[in-house]
Amino acid sequence: MIHEQLEKRGIKSQRVLNAFRKVERHLFVPEEYRSMAYADRALPIGKSQTISQPYIVAFMTESLDLKSTDRVLEVGTGSGYQAAILAEMCDTVYSIEVIESLGKKAGRLLRKIGYLNITLKIGDGYQGWKTHAPYDAIIVTCAPTQIPAPLKDQLAEGGRMIIPVGEQYVQELILLKKKNGRLREKKVLPVMFVPMVDEVGKIY
Ligand code: SAH
C-alpha cells in the first residue's frame, strides 16, 4: 500500500509515510472487508459511510503540513483511521462524528489501541468545536456545499484547512491557509466524499 499507492503517486512526507507504517488499517475496517483493508479504494464502515481510500487520507494529511505541536480538528470521525494517522503526527486531535454508533465504535477502538491524544465528540461538525479552538489544522472528511463559516473562524493564524466542497459526487478538495487574518483558497484535487449532514440527516 505505502509504496504502490502512496510513494508512487507522489506522497513524499516521511512523517506521513511513517504514520501509515504504524497505524494498522485492517483494525478500522469491518470484519467482512478485512481482506481488502489495504486495497486502493474506500470501503464501507456501516451506516452508508466509508473509510476513505488510503491515497486520499495521505494526500489530505500531507497537505496540512503538520508539526508535532499542532492541535487538529477533524470533522467526520467515521472509522477513526484518519484520526489515528493524525494522532501519530501532532499533539492533539479533536474529532467530531454526527452518527452516534460510528463515533462510539471509533472511540472504543482508539482507546483499545492506546491513543490518549484523541478526543471525540458526537455532534454536528458544521459548527466546529469552539471549546478547543483555535486549531492549527482542520480536516473535513465529509462534503458540504459551502465552507462552514464556524470552521473558518476556528482556524488559527497560520493554520491550514483541507475540505471537500461541492454537490454530491462532484467535489473539489480545497486547501485554505489563514495569513494575517485572511484566508487564501486553492482547489487541489477532484474527489468524492459522503455529504456533510446535520443531526437529522439533512444535507448541508
Ligand atoms: N475520516 C473517516 C472517514 C469518514 S466518512 C475515516 O477515517 O474513517 C465521513 C464521516 O463524516 C461519516 O462517518 C459521516 O457520518 C460523518 N459526517 C457527516 N456529516 C457530519 C457532520 N455534520 N459532523 C460530523 N460528522 C459528519
Side-chain angles (χ1 to χ4, degrees):
M1 173 182 83
I2 290 166
H3 185 60
E4 294 296 321
Q5 299 175 37
L6 309 188
E7 287 179 308
K8 277 192 176 175
R9 289 184 184 138
I11 303 296
K12 288 192 180 69
S13 160
Q14 285 307 314
R15 297 196 68 226
V16 172
L17 296 168
N18 282 336
F20 272 80
R21 287 185 186 104
K22 193 124 181 253
V23 181
E24 299 185 278
R25 184 172 162 95
H26 62 270
L27 300 178
F28 296 83
V29 166
E31 222 42 80
E32 60 268 39
Y33 296 106
R34 285 255 152 110
S35 62
M36 287 187 268
Y38 297 89
D40 192 12
R41 53 170 289 187
L43 291 168
I45 55 170
K47 304 276 169 185
S48 307
Q49 306 304 321
T50 55
I51 174 173
S52 307
Q53 180 190 6
Y55 174 68
I56 296 296
V57 177
F59 181 91
M60 292 175 79
T61 308
E62 185 171 59
S63 73
L64 291 175
D65 200 13
L66 295 175
K67 290 188 277 297
S68 55
T69 51
D70 281 349
R71 298 164 62 260
V72 181
L73 175 69
E74 178 189 30
V75 176
T77 314
S79 68
Y81 180 68
Q82 172 78 72
I85 295 282
L86 296 168
E88 292 289 340
M89 298 178 58
C90 68
D91 182 71
T92 314
V93 179
Y94 299 94
S95 184
I96 310 173
E97 170 56 52
V98 77
I99 300 179
E100 186 173 4
S101 60
L102 290 180
K104 286 196 163 155
K105 190 170 176 199
R108 283 194 296 274
L109 173 60
L110 292 167
R111 266 194 303 280
K112 186 171 149 201
I113 56 181
Y115 286 101
L116 301 174
N117 62 337
I118 303 176
T119 305
L120 301 182
K121 156 169 130 166
I122 308 295
D124 181 357
Y126 186 95
Q127 309 302 335
W129 194 344
K130 233 176 163 179
T131 322
H132 307 289
Y135 302 97
D136 303 299
I138 298 179
I139 180 167
V140 183
T141 64
C142 47
T145 49
Q146 304 283 330
I147 302 170
L151 298 183
K152 291 182 178 178
D153 294 343
Q154 291 173 26
L155 195 60
E157 174 61 27
R160 294 82 59 202
M161 170 163 31
I162 186 92
I163 178 169
V165 180
E167 307 297 327
Q168 222 168 338
Y169 310 121
V170 200
Q171 304 142 9
E172 289 276 351
L173 268 184
I174 298 183
L175 180 64
L176 294 98
K177 292 185 182 172
K178 198 180 259 189
K179 226 177 164 188
N180 303 321
R182 294 185 55 181
L183 283 164
R184 284 183 309 176
E185 289 185 29
K186 193 166 89 180
K187 286 185 185 169
V188 288
L189 193 73
V191 284
M192 237 170 70
F193 275 85
V194 296
M196 182 182 278
V197 297
D198 67 12
E199 275 151 336
V200 293
K202 191 168 163 289
I203 293 176
Y204 273 113

